[in-house]
Amino acid sequence: LVSAGDNFAAGKDFTAGIRRSRGPYYDVVAQSSFRYDAIGIGEQEFDLGPFVLEKFIRDFGLENPPPFLCANLDFSGEPGLNAMVETGRIQRSIVVQKGEEQIGIIGVTTPEIAFLSSPRNTKALDNLAMIVNSEAEQLIADGINKIVLISHLNNLELELELISMLNGVDVVVAGGDEGAEAIAEPYLLTMEDLSGRTVYLVHTPGKYAYIGQLNLSFDRFGEVVSVEESSGLVRVETDNPDEQLTTEVVLPVTQFVESLPNNIIGGTEVALDAQIESMRSRETNAGNLIADALLWQANFFAPLYGLSSSDIAIQGARSSPTSILVPGLSPLGDSFTFDVLPLPEFVTVVEEVTARQLKGIMEQALSDVETSGEQFAQIAGFRMVYDPAGLPRELDVAGNVIREGSRVISILLNDGRAMVENGEVVEGAPVVRMATTDVLARGGNGYPMPGNAFTSIGVSSQQSLANYLVFQLRGNVLAAQYPEGGEGRIQRLGEGIHWPPPMRLEQSPKMVNEPSVGPNPFVDEITMQYQLEEATHSEIFLLSMDGQALATLYSGIQESGIQRLHMMIPGAKYLPRGPYVIVLRTGNNLQAIKIMH
């Protein structure tokens, strides 16, 4: 029994496991019961970064853990994962004993993993045929004449092409199918290898809807003599679910997920398009909302980190792997923010982004817009026109630029300053600060940002969206600000270019001077003083440094003049020592103040 990778996916279900106070992830508890002989590694294992994969493997099958296999990943740059290579938890290939038979199993994954996920210092090797043939040759030399390859290339044509260059492999179990239950191809495909031998390729749809079953008969020389009719897809269904797993996994995950919609944080009067096919191919109003939240959160917390305001924001479309369309006049709960941003990426400010660099980033974002669109970006703070007929930016597996790309026609900042005109970088264009995620700041998705100084402010992109909805939009997503189809931030050449002014909430000055808060550090109460120039509704909140709202300390109408409020901190004795954030809202103004406990 083997898995071909993508063993977990970021989202609400997996977040339930991440937020467990102790113990393995729920996915680990469930999958450890499957009694795998070997487990392949896909790109989704890295979506949450190497540390999450490390914990996933470390906790997997505590009594008799199966090995995770991948022959073409170099883990030497990740100490935790590399230690697992040294102890055998991660291997290139293994031999398993089944009765009197020995079967060799090899693992490989997509060489494009750096563009598809967040492997950080894990490097992918692209000479797959040579790597697999070398492993197979060693297995054959050890007397193994039945060899299975677990291959996670996300594309059956690539799998078949790889088979044509192999020697000694009998079966390929292919992974990376993104369908839920649709069966687009036959379960069993065949291809001849370099020597003309028939190799059998099997694959199953995703989401654990089916288990693939392949029954082959071999002669004593290890040659396949027949394929049994019982081979095929087995539907996963039962009238007798495992009671222990139901108690340990299904119930707590279900309770966590079901609690999210009940925490209503706002509503939308306009339909919000967060469908994958939209988010990864064009501007959408949901994409604009997410990018605006990223920019807003970065600038709201910037003073706490000694940073200046960011000019623009870029949100990678691959960070929204789920697909939803929220109808107009719908409430928005916490579940919405998890649905559209399930990956725990963190708001990050990148310093000194040049016009040439920004053009390169957007060329990369547009490089696959006509196909998968996984490189695509939703943006804030600037407008862009592109030509889909232009040449796409092209990188090799190592991330080196083979072709710069010629799709970006113009980039104009919201304040009117031009960065790119007629496909060329404007001489003397300004250098800008950019809000993005830590994944992209480190060069994820192939975005050309390595080397730029950046600061992560510790707030997840999901939390930034929640905070933007609650604090800045006051829970109301308006059609005037986020019209269906977007407002024209990303436009295709030839579709009637227009530059509508960006919508902004009015900021009405309400305070005469800077607010003061004390004592600092506080124990269980604080006093806050500030002066208003006119009567307004004021609110004061306590937030953690990762942006989560912990308490509302005050809410009410205040007259003009000096305000002095004495407030108790709920549950202060249970709060960990360290920094917190006091948020003061007066009218449409928001101000963050750092305070210690």
Side-chain angles (χ1 to χ4, degrees):
L1 179 64
V2 301
S3 162
D6 283 357
N7 296 289
F8 60 88
K12 291 180 288 187
D13 291 348
F14 196 74
T15 300
I18 291 177
R19 293 195 177 183
R20 281 186 92 178
S21 59
R22 63 185 65 184
Y25 301 136
Y26 291 116
D27 291 59
V28 169
V29 177
Q31 292 183 47
S32 292
S33 70
F34 296 173
R35 302 186 184 278
Y36 282 119
D37 291 296
I39 302 175
I41 297 177
E43 77 278 356
Q44 287 192 11
E45 275 84 339
F46 291 94
D47 279 349
L48 307 178
F51 289 143
V52 170
L53 175 57
E54 181 183 336
K55 176 175 169 56
F56 187 87
I57 296 175
R58 184 176 62 249
D59 293 344
F60 203 101
L62 294 178
E63 295 180 2
N64 187 25
F68 283 70
L69 300 184
C70 195
N72 72 309
L73 289 183
D74 176 4
F75 298 100
S76 60
E78 289 293 339
L81 292 173
N82 195 55
M84 292 181 169
V85 174
E86 295 173 353
T87 60
R89 291 303 307 273
I90 300 174
Q91 299 187 45
R92 297 166 63 89
S93 62
I94 62 162
V95 176
V96 298
Q97 187 82 30
K98 291 294 176 179
E100 298 181 355
E101 302 296 329
Q102 289 187 315
I103 301 168
I105 308 176
I106 306 167
V108 293
T109 194
T110 170
E112 297 185 346
I113 196 165
F115 307 136
L116 301 178
S117 193
S118 309
R120 204 167 58 189
N121 297 318
T122 303
K123 305 299 181 185
L125 307 176
D126 63 347
N127 49 341
L128 297 182
M130 186 178 76
I131 291 171
V132 174
N133 286 337
S134 175
E135 293 295 316
E137 183 180 351
Q138 183 60 54
L139 290 169
I140 293 170
D142 292 339
I144 310 301
N145 61 12
K146 304 172 189 65
I147 298 177
V148 175
L149 171 65
I150 302 174
S151 180
H152 190 101
L153 302 188
N154 296 315
N155 186 309
L156 290 179
E157 291 185 4
L158 293 179
E159 306 281 7
L160 294 170
E161 181 182 344
L162 175 61
I163 290 173
S164 70
M165 298 183 284
L166 298 182
N167 264 323
V169 172
D170 299 293
V171 175
V172 174
V173 180
D177 190 325
E178 300 220 353
E181 296 188 11
I183 306 172
E185 300 284 349
Y187 166 67
L188 177 62
L189 301 172
T190 60
M191 171 64 73
E192 290 187 352
D193 67 7
L194 267 178
S195 63
R197 294 173 65 251
T198 298
V199 177
Y200 299 87
L201 182 148
V202 293
H203 68 111
T204 62
K207 306 294 179 67
Y208 297 104
Y210 297 89
I211 293 176
Q213 178 174 278
L214 179 62
N215 295 324
L216 301 175
S217 293
F218 290 80
D219 64 19
R220 62 191 182 94
F221 301 107
E223 298 296 332
V224 177
V225 294
S226 67
V227 180
E228 305 300 323
E229 291 185 0
S230 57
S231 299
L233 293 172
V234 179
R235 177 73 180 179
V236 176
E237 51 190 357
T238 179
D239 295 325
N240 187 28
D242 185 287
E243 291 185 7
Q244 183 175 349
L245 287 179
T246 298
T247 301
E248 294 182 357
V249 176
V250 177
L251 291 179
V253 171
T254 300
Q255 289 169 359
F256 174 82
V257 172
E258 289 181 348
S259 71
L260 295 176
N262 297 328
N263 183 23
I264 302 301
I265 58 177
T268 178
E269 71 174 19
V270 60
L272 295 174
D273 184 1
Q275 300 173 100
I276 285 181
E277 59 271 22
S278 302
M279 293 282 284
R280 296 185 177 181
S281 63
R282 59 184 180 271
E283 172 193 347
T284 75
N285 59 353
N288 289 346
L289 180 69
I290 292 168
D292 283 350
L294 194 65
L295 183 59
W296 172 85
Q297 185 71 77
N299 288 342
F300 187 50
F301 268 26
L304 306 183
Y305 289 83
L307 300 173
S308 299
S309 295
S310 295
D311 305 285
I312 63 173
I314 292 178
Q315 174 73 46
R318 195 177 188 278
S319 299
S320 302
T322 49
S323 185
I324 60 171
L325 178 63
V326 180
L329 303 178
S330 295
L332 298 176
D334 267 340
S335 59
F336 167 73
T337 65
F338 278 101
D339 282 337
V340 296
L341 291 169
L343 307 186
E345 300 174 357
F346 292 91
V347 180
T348 299
V349 176
V350 180
E351 302 286 344
E352 298 183 347
V353 178
T354 67
R356 186 169 301 281
Q357 204 166 25
L358 180 58
K359 182 179 186 296
I361 291 169
M362 297 316 299
E363 289 285 3
Q364 183 66 21
L366 296 166
S367 62
D368 63 351
V369 67
E370 69 273 41
T371 54
S372 68
E374 291 196 338
Q375 309 294 313
F376 197 73
Q378 300 290 334
I379 64 174
F382 67 100
R383 309 294 169 112
M384 177 180 69
V385 176
Y386 77 96
D387 183 359
L391 294 174
R393 180 180 170 89
E394 186 177 352
L395 307 177
D396 63 17
V397 173
N400 300 311
V401 179
I402 299 174
R403 182 172 58 206
E404 292 287 353
S406 59
R407 292 187 165 178
V408 175
I409 302 302
S410 65
I411 293 177
L412 189 69
L413 300 180
N414 279 0
D415 62 11
R417 293 178 294 172
M419 304 287 277
V420 177
E421 290 181 341
N422 299 319
E424 300 294 333
V425 173
V426 174
E427 185 176 353
V431 175
V432 298
R433 287 182 181 86
M434 177 170 66
T436 185
T437 66
D438 59 322
V439 171
L440 297 185
R442 292 186 175 95
N445 283 16
Y447 284 17
M449 286 187 283
N452 286 43
F454 64 84
T455 302
S456 174
I457 67 170
V459 180
S460 71
S461 50
Q462 174 269 328
Q463 187 66 54
S464 75
L465 178 57
N467 289 345
Y468 182 66
L469 286 168
V470 171
F471 293 117
Q472 183 65 24
L473 299 186
R474 294 180 176 270
N476 299 314
V477 180
L478 304 177
Q481 189 170 9
Y482 294 102
E484 290 190 40
E487 60 187 68
R489 299 183 188 186
I490 303 175
Q491 302 183 31
R492 291 163 59 105
L493 191 66
E495 293 187 351
I497 306 304
H498 59 285
W499 299 106
M503 297 292 295
R504 289 289 178 268
L505 292 179
E506 290 185 5
Q507 297 291 313
S508 48
K510 297 292 181 183
M511 283 186 293
V512 175
N513 49 26
E514 292 293 316
S516 63
V517 180
N520 190 1
F522 69 90
V523 177
D524 56 5
E525 59 187 9
I526 61 172
T527 298
M528 191 167 191
Q529 182 171 305
Y530 50 96
Q531 186 173 355
L532 298 175
E533 64 179 10
E534 60 184 78
T536 189
H537 184 266
S538 300
E539 294 170 289
I540 301 173
F541 308 91
L542 176 69
L543 272 63
S544 61
M545 284 297 290
D546 63 1
Q548 295 189 53
L550 303 177
T552 299
L553 304 180
Y554 174 80
S555 179
I557 300 295
Q558 294 180 312
E559 299 299 323
S560 61
I562 295 176
Q563 315 297 322
R564 184 179 175 86
L565 298 175
H566 185 72
M567 296 166 287
M568 299 297 297
I569 305 296
K573 66 180 180 179
Y574 300 110
L575 294 177
R577 300 297 177 184
Y580 290 83
V581 181
I582 298 295
V583 174
L584 170 63
R585 173 157 56 196
T586 54
N588 286 330
N589 285 319
L590 281 165
Q591 186 157 359
I593 306 164
K594 188 175 180 179
I595 190 170
M596 300 299 293
H597 175 45

